[in-house]
Amino acid sequence: MSITLFSCDDGFGDIKILQGDPGQRIRHTLPSRAQSGDWYQAGLGTTAEESAVYETEGGTFTVGESLQAEDTRFSDYAVSPLNRVLVAHALHHAGARAPFALAVGLPLRDYFRANGTPNEGRIATKRQNHLTPVRLRTIDGPVDLPVPQIVHILPQSLVVAMSADIGDEEDAPVAVVDIGSRTTDITVVQQGRVDFTRCGTLPDLGVAAAIDRFQGAVEDATGQRLTRNVAQNALIHQKPIKLYGQAVAVDIVDQARAKAIQAIAASMTHGVEQQARTLADCAAVILIGGGAYLFADALPWPHARAHVDPVFANADAWHTLLEAQNP
């Protein structure tokens, strides 16, 4: 019996699931939104959201987009019951059925020790996190979700950097800047090896920071409170903002958006270049993550380019690598 492979990039902001053969891959994106406890909410209408309640070792969690979600910005998020439930929820949504294999990542700082050797303990903990059972609570009682038969743990950004096409500049470094919801990660690879002296993470510097700044600017200009969802949709998807039934002036929104992106991009540029020392010697700077779209035009590196599919760049690279190893 063949085993279906699901590749999962389990970010702070969204869980991205990829499955299928090259050219026919199916992509699923679900927000990383859950709250401890049972906060079940029934939807009204055929398109309304209905929350889901999951039980696992470490607690009960409710997953739903309209919840006041718990903050995922904590050091052990990647190996936490919260992360386990969010990934299991995404796999369930993607239709995972036994037997299946799961590919999931760890940040470079967690995957490797300071001396460059794999951190086997952390890798094993991450693997076990996704081998721990999760049950979905239903009207007819709890249902055990299928557990992956195999869990592959891979370093985030590294496979993307290793597979970059840089033409005849084989000796030059390649930098991958992964702009996520909560953090920005820098990975520099040269001649097939990671240059750990130039890699690192910029905490609290990503899309969420831009949303915070944008939301504050609009609130200051209008004197009215803005919900997080409205601010996010206005900044990222450029949706209009209405407060008390009245549209906020377009110039207020546009100015707030431009200033927020420019300010965070400036901090990001400083942090990346401080960590990587310089990007001038790189054959390519590849932007991945959900923030690649938002910040691409605001970053100063002329040789930077957004990945063809930045949101699924990690998952796609893992999928391709594992398919080549297990044809």
Side-chain angles (χ1 to χ4, degrees), residues 102-271:
L102 172 65
V104 68
L106 274 173
L108 213 63
R109 64 187 182 278
D110 290 338
Y111 191 92
F112 292 102
R113 296 189 181 91
N115 63 3
T117 60
N119 188 338
E120 298 293 351
R122 191 69 168 179
I123 293 169
T125 300
K126 177 64 170 172
R127 180 176 289 111
Q128 185 57 46
N129 195 48
H130 298 294
L131 291 172
T132 301
V134 174
R135 296 191 296 176
L136 171 63
R137 188 182 296 174
T138 71
I139 294 175
D140 298 322
V143 174
D144 291 324
L145 298 183
V147 175
Q149 183 170 320
I150 303 169
V151 179
H152 303 279
I153 310 297
L154 298 105
Q156 293 173 357
S157 302
L158 181 57
V159 183
V160 176
M162 293 289 194
S163 57
D165 181 6
I166 57 173
D168 58 359
E169 299 183 70
E170 296 179 357
D171 295 336
V174 173
V176 173
V177 180
D178 186 350
I179 308 171
S181 175
R182 307 293 187 184
T183 62
T184 293
D185 292 308
I186 308 101
T187 301
V188 178
V189 172
Q190 187 168 13
Q191 294 181 305
R193 295 184 177 182
V194 183
D195 186 344
F196 287 98
T197 67
R198 301 177 69 178
C199 300
T201 296
L202 307 178
D204 298 320
L205 197 57
V207 176
I211 296 172
D212 289 342
R213 188 173 287 263
F214 171 76
Q215 181 175 351
V218 174
E219 289 178 345
D220 288 345
T222 61
Q224 303 291 340
R225 293 291 301 276
L226 219 60
T227 67
R228 180 75 174 182
N229 285 344
V230 168
Q232 178 172 317
N233 286 330
L235 177 68
I236 298 174
H237 305 296
Q238 299 190 26
K239 291 186 177 181
I241 297 176
K242 278 193 173 183
L243 296 173
Y244 298 101
Q246 299 295 317
V248 175
V250 173
D251 61 331
I252 290 177
V253 177
D254 287 348
Q255 289 176 20
R257 180 185 296 112
K259 289 181 178 180
I261 292 172
Q262 289 168 5
I264 301 304
S267 296
M268 195 178 294
T269 299
H270 175 75

Side-chain angles (χ1 to χ4, degrees), residues 11-58:
F12 295 110
D14 293 292
I15 306 291
K16 286 81 67 178
I17 298 281
L18 185 146
Q19 64 186 109
D21 299 325
Q24 298 179 329
R25 289 183 176 161
I26 302 170
R27 291 158 168 76
H28 308 268
T29 305
L30 288 90
S32 302
R33 298 185 64 83
Q35 188 174 8
S36 297
D38 184 347
W39 300 89
Y40 178 78
Q41 297 172 326
L44 297 177
T46 56
T47 62
E49 176 205 357
E50 193 167 287
S51 60
V53 179
Y54 295 91
E55 301 168 349
T56 188
E57 180 182 316

Side-chain angles (χ1 to χ4, degrees), residues 82-100:
L82 173 61
N83 174 273
R84 180 192 315 145
V85 163
L86 287 168
V87 171
H89 171 72
L91 288 168
H92 179 65
H93 182 272
R97 299 288 183 270
F100 72 95

